[in-house]
């Protein structure tokens, strides 16, 4: 029995992406290229831990006019965890979604919150159905949190300007984590660290006593 991808070499591991046994060479070369690797694959996670993403030119990063300081990140670290979890959840609800889809979703969210800064509201949704689903999920979670604050007898305390800044920062993290493969999920794997953190879930990430996650 040979590797189900190349048909030449002996298989060394089971690949959940092709539902068969493959050799280590095909695992390395076809991972997130021709193979749609699930995030729960231990070999994929190990690869993300050790690989070096392509060199990133800071000048190519979008929305550089949005200034993000260390103080801003420290003040908004719980919001950061909540949005990271919401993005991850949105991607999980869209089987097949990749880092590239998250990139489009983040850009759409930036455009939406930019309009709010001008006193208008225009929700931008990508034509890409995966990206649109992720962006819509994030918006839904933010609306739910704000509604809970209103129902508790107060007013929403999360500023749209803070949401915009956090989303812009997450967008930069996506650019730095995306490994450049056609089906990259390296950034989603990174976001999974928020989702799997003890005490953190999309339901409690903004609770006052929630653990404070620092990037």
């Amino acid at each position: 029995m040979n590797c189900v991808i190349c048909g030449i070499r002996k298989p060394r591991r089971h690949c959940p992406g092709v539902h068969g046994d493959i050799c280590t060479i095909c695992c390395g070369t076809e991972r997130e290229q021709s193979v749609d690797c699930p995030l729960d694959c231990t070999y994929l996670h190990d690869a993300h831990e050790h690989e070096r993403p392509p060199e990133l030119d800071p000048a190519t990063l979008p929305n550089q006019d949005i200034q993000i300081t260390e103080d801003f990140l420290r003040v908004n670290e719980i919001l950061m965890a909540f949005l990271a979890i919401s993005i991850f959840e949105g991607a999980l609800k869209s089987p097949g979604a990749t880092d590239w889809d998250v990139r489009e979703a983040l850009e759409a969210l930036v455009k939406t919150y930019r309009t709010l800064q001008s006193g208008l509201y225009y929700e931008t949704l990508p034509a890409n159905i995966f990206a649109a689903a992720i962006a819509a999920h994030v918006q839904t979670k933010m609306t739910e949190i704000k509604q809970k604050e209103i129902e508790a007898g107060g007013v929403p305390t999360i500023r749209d300007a803070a949401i915009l800044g956090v989303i812009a920062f997450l967008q930069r993290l996506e650019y730095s984590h995306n490994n450049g493969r056609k089906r990259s999920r390296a950034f989603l794997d990174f976001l999974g660290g928020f989702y799997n953190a003890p005490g953190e879930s999309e339901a409690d990430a903004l609770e006052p006593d929630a653990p404070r996650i620092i990037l």
Side-chain angles (χ1 to χ4, degrees):
M1 181 177 177
N2 295 330
C3 168
V4 299
I5 294 180
C6 68
I8 300 173
R9 291 175 289 270
K10 294 294 183 182
R12 300 297 181 186
R13 59 189 56 168
H14 180 75
C15 173
V18 298
H19 305 290
D21 296 329
I22 64 174
C23 65
T24 54
I25 293 177
C26 283
C27 180
T29 58
E30 300 304 317
R31 180 181 66 248
E32 296 181 310
Q33 294 281 24
S34 65
V35 179
D36 191 13
C37 306
L39 281 172
D40 60 358
C41 174
T42 57
Y43 299 110
L44 179 68
H45 182 71
D46 288 344
H48 289 161
E49 287 284 312
H50 297 97
E51 69 186 357
R52 295 184 61 183
E55 289 293 328
L56 178 65
D57 180 0
T60 64
L61 291 174
N63 303 302
Q64 295 188 45
D65 61 302
I66 302 177
Q67 297 185 356
I68 303 169
T69 65
E70 290 186 6
D71 286 342
F72 172 83
L73 295 178
R74 183 172 61 253
V75 170
N76 292 286
E77 60 191 7
I78 293 179
L79 176 61
M80 176 88 67
F82 180 80
L83 285 169
I85 291 169
S86 297
I87 293 167
F88 185 75
E89 285 279 328
L92 289 184
K93 292 177 181 293
S94 302
T98 69
D99 291 347
W100 304 103
D101 301 310
V102 173
R103 180 174 295 190
E104 288 190 47
L106 289 169
E107 180 59 26
L109 288 166
V110 167
K111 290 179 179 178
T112 295
Y113 281 93
R114 277 188 182 276
T115 65
L116 287 171
Q117 298 307 295
S118 63
L120 303 173
Y121 178 74
Y122 178 78
E123 185 173 7
T124 300
L125 286 178
N128 177 337
I129 60 173
F130 296 114
I134 294 169
H137 182 77
V138 172
Q139 289 289 66
T140 296
K141 301 312 296 183
M142 290 308 309
T143 298
E144 289 177 358
I145 287 296
K146 291 181 179 181
Q147 187 59 38
K148 286 180 180 179
E149 290 186 307
I150 293 173
E151 292 173 355
V155 296
T157 60
I158 306 171
R159 297 179 299 111
D160 291 329
I163 298 173
L164 174 61
V166 170
I167 291 172
F169 182 68
L170 288 171
Q171 183 182 50
R172 295 171 194 179
L173 286 181
E174 190 283 324
Y175 272 76
S176 66
H177 282 78
N178 189 313
N179 59 28
R181 292 174 179 254
K182 293 178 182 178
R183 303 179 183 184
S184 171
R185 288 195 175 98
F187 180 60
L188 283 172
D189 204 359
F190 167 77
L191 292 182
F194 287 94
Y195 185 78
N196 296 318
E200 286 292 329
S201 69
E202 67 173 11
D204 65 16
L206 284 182
E207 292 297 321
D209 295 328
R212 299 178 66 82
I213 300 177
I214 302 176
L215 288 181

